[in-house]
Amino acid sequence: MKVALFLTCVNDTMYPGTGRAMVRLLRRLGHEVEFPEAQTCCGQMHLNTGYRTQALHMVKGFAETFEPYDAVVTPSASCGAMIRDWHPKLAPRTAGVASRVYELSEFLVDVLGVTDVGAYFPHRVTYHPTCHSLRMLHVGDRPQRLLREVRGIDLVDLPDARECCGFGGTFALKNSEVSAAMCADKVTAVRETKAEVLCAADNSCLMHIGGALSRTRAGVRTVHLAEILASTEEEPTP
């Protein structure tokens, strides 16, 4: 299988370690993954703020870049949902490529058919299911199934897990007070779990919640799903 990594803007700019973790994980499972350097933004930010024409250029560019690959894996449920749901609506000819895009947990469970990836992460962890993963990609319990197989992990349920963290991209800027209130509720729920680590499938949401956790000195760090799954006794996640 010819697999490509679509890293996304946020991860490329702020969380490159997540991309490296994905490559390490997939190679450990026996698959080579390529990083097409022509990749750019998926167009989500532009579409959400009304720049449809600019988004369309990115949609077509994405399809051209990833056409040669059997599967495209991304560490972002948010961008994955944009591609699978919106790209075919904006440019119908891109539907074929869009259908081969998978969020990481989907790819591991549905395409590779694995839940035990040989990970080791001896920490108390709680998982936040991000809105796009829940409501657009419908990943269900795939991330939790993967996490339950991680050796050493103490996985605890997050109260009111399905509630939004308040990020929502530009929503957090345009409606900052509402966003902050929603994030405060999420932080309260996280603290109730007594977890050491908050995990999710989107670093954008982890960035939002993590900022509030840091400001309240909660003592909880945020770690992307890919980094937990890539962690082993020999190569632990920092």
Side-chain angles (χ1 to χ4, degrees), residues 222-233:
T222 57
V223 180
H224 191 279
L225 175 66
E227 295 173 69
I228 291 180
L229 297 181
S231 182
T232 63
E233 289 187 72

Side-chain angles (χ1 to χ4, degrees), residues 62-231:
F62 181 95
E64 291 172 5
T65 299
F66 290 99
E67 174 63 37
Y69 297 92
D70 301 312
V72 182
V73 190
T74 180
S76 170
S78 176
C79 295
M82 167 66 186
I83 297 161
R84 287 235 300 266
D85 192 63
W86 277 101
H87 280 202
K89 295 175 183 176
L90 293 168
R93 291 184 180 180
T94 67
V97 176
S99 69
R100 301 197 297 272
V101 173
Y102 302 91
E103 179 271 329
L104 177 62
S105 71
E106 293 181 307
F107 184 70
L108 293 172
V109 175
D110 297 346
V111 180
L112 300 186
V114 297
T115 52
D116 185 348
V117 298
Y120 175 74
F121 194 75
H123 301 284
R124 186 174 175 89
V125 177
T126 193
Y127 177 78
H128 166 61
T130 63
C131 291
H132 284 87
S133 69
L134 274 177
R135 297 170 177 87
M136 294 185 73
L137 287 185
H138 304 289
V139 302
D141 67 344
R142 292 174 184 85
Q144 290 95 327
R145 288 162 63 187
L146 290 159
L147 288 170
R148 289 188 196 111
E149 297 293 337
V150 174
R151 289 184 300 113
I153 199 170
D154 179 12
L155 185 63
V156 293
D157 291 336
L158 179 65
D160 299 318
R162 296 176 66 90
E163 295 297 318
C164 177
C165 72
F167 179 60
T170 56
F171 173 84
L173 301 176
K174 295 177 180 178
N175 302 276
S176 58
E177 292 183 2
V178 176
S179 173
M182 295 170 74
C183 191
D185 289 343
K186 183 62 66 174
V187 165
T188 297
V190 172
R191 297 185 74 157
E192 285 179 13
T193 67
K194 308 297 183 184
E196 304 167 62
V197 173
L198 173 66
C199 172
D202 279 282
N203 270 327
S204 53
C205 297
L206 288 177
M207 175 178 64
H208 184 60
I209 306 169
L213 287 168
S214 176
R215 289 190 295 275
T216 58
R217 299 181 181 180
V220 182
R221 62 190 176 108
T222 57
V223 180
H224 191 279
L225 175 66
E227 295 173 69
I228 291 180
L229 297 181
S231 182

